[in-house]
Amino acid sequence: MFENLLVHPPEIRARARQLFLAGGTVADTARAVGLPYRTVWHWCNDRPETKFQGTQHRCFRCRDGVDSPTDPQAYAYLLGLYLGDGHLVTTARVPVLRIYCSDAWPGLIEACDVAMRAVLAAKVQRVQKQGCVGVQSYGVHWPCLLPQHGPGKKHERPIVLADWQRPILQSHPG
C-alpha cells in the first residue's frame, strides 16, 4: 500500500544498504549517498535481515539470498594470508582469527587490517610480538568463512577449497 510513497529511487536505498552491510556506519553511509541520517538509519536498521547479533549480518555464508562476500577481492586476499601465516582459534568463547605479519613489511600489516575489516571484522587489533605483529579479530563467524580450519597444523593436513570459494578465487587470483 505504501510502496508508492517511496521518495528515493530503489537504487539509492540498495547502495546505502550495501555500504552499511559492508561495515560502514549509518553516518558514513548517509554522507556517501547524500541523504539525511534518519532516512538511512531506517533503511539499515528497520530491515529484518540486519537485526542480527555481532558479525552475523556481515557473514554472507549465514545470510539467506547472499552467495558471495561484499568484497570478494578482500576475501581472496585474506584467505591467502590465513592459509600462509594465520590461524583460527576456536577453543575460546569467541573465535579469533590471527595473522602474523613481519615488522619489515608495514604495508602488509595495514593491508591485512583493511582486508579483515572489509570481510567481517568490526574491530581489528594489532599485537606486537618479537619481529612481527599479530593482526587479529574476534568474530563468531570466522569459522563460516574459513572452512579450512581444522585440528592440527595446516601443513600436516590436506587443505581443500570449498565449492563456494572456487569462483571467488578464480575471479581474484594472486
Side-chain angles (χ1 to χ4, degrees):
M1 174 172 151
F2 295 105
E3 287 83 19
N4 294 333
L5 297 176
L6 294 176
V7 179
H8 303 288
E11 300 82 29
I12 292 178
R13 179 184 286 233
R15 173 82 174 125
R17 290 186 31 74
Q18 179 185 23
L19 291 169
F20 178 74
L21 291 174
T25 64
V26 174
D28 290 341
T29 301
R31 279 191 291 274
V33 296
L35 292 173
Y37 177 93
R38 286 304 286 178
T39 300
V40 174
W41 183 89
H42 283 290
W43 290 351
C44 296
N45 292 303
D46 284 353
R47 306 294 291 194
E49 63 268 21
T50 61
K51 295 192 184 224
F52 292 115
Q53 295 294 316
T55 56
Q56 188 174 1
H57 78 279
R58 300 203 56 211
C59 179
F60 72 94
R61 298 290 303 149
C62 294
R63 293 185 49 224
D64 290 334
V66 179
D67 59 355
S68 64
T70 305
D71 189 339
Q73 186 172 5
Y75 176 79
Y77 181 71
L78 187 63
L79 178 62
L81 291 175
Y82 161 73
L83 291 174
D85 293 317
H87 71 274
L88 185 59
V89 178
T90 57
T91 56
R93 195 175 80 170
V94 177
V96 59
L97 172 63
R98 290 190 180 113
I99 298 174
Y100 294 95
C101 305
S102 172
D103 285 336
W105 297 88
L108 174 64
I109 297 166
E110 183 62 28
C112 180
D113 185 306
V114 168
M116 280 186 180
R117 290 175 195 274
V119 172
L120 183 74
K123 295 180 181 177
V124 176
Q125 300 169 323
R126 298 179 187 190
V127 179
Q128 184 65 52
K129 304 283 185 181
Q130 185 173 351
C132 68
V133 172
V135 182
Q136 66 183 31
S137 172
Y138 291 84
V140 173
H141 292 271
W142 282 122
C144 306
L145 301 178
L146 300 168
Q148 289 73 21
H149 173 69
K153 298 176 181 176
K154 287 188 304 242
H155 69 277
E156 294 176 348
R157 58 186 163 84
I159 299 295
V160 180
L161 292 176
D163 290 340
W164 59 267
Q165 290 175 310
R166 292 182 197 289
I168 297 169
L169 297 179
Q170 288 169 344
S171 298
H172 302 283

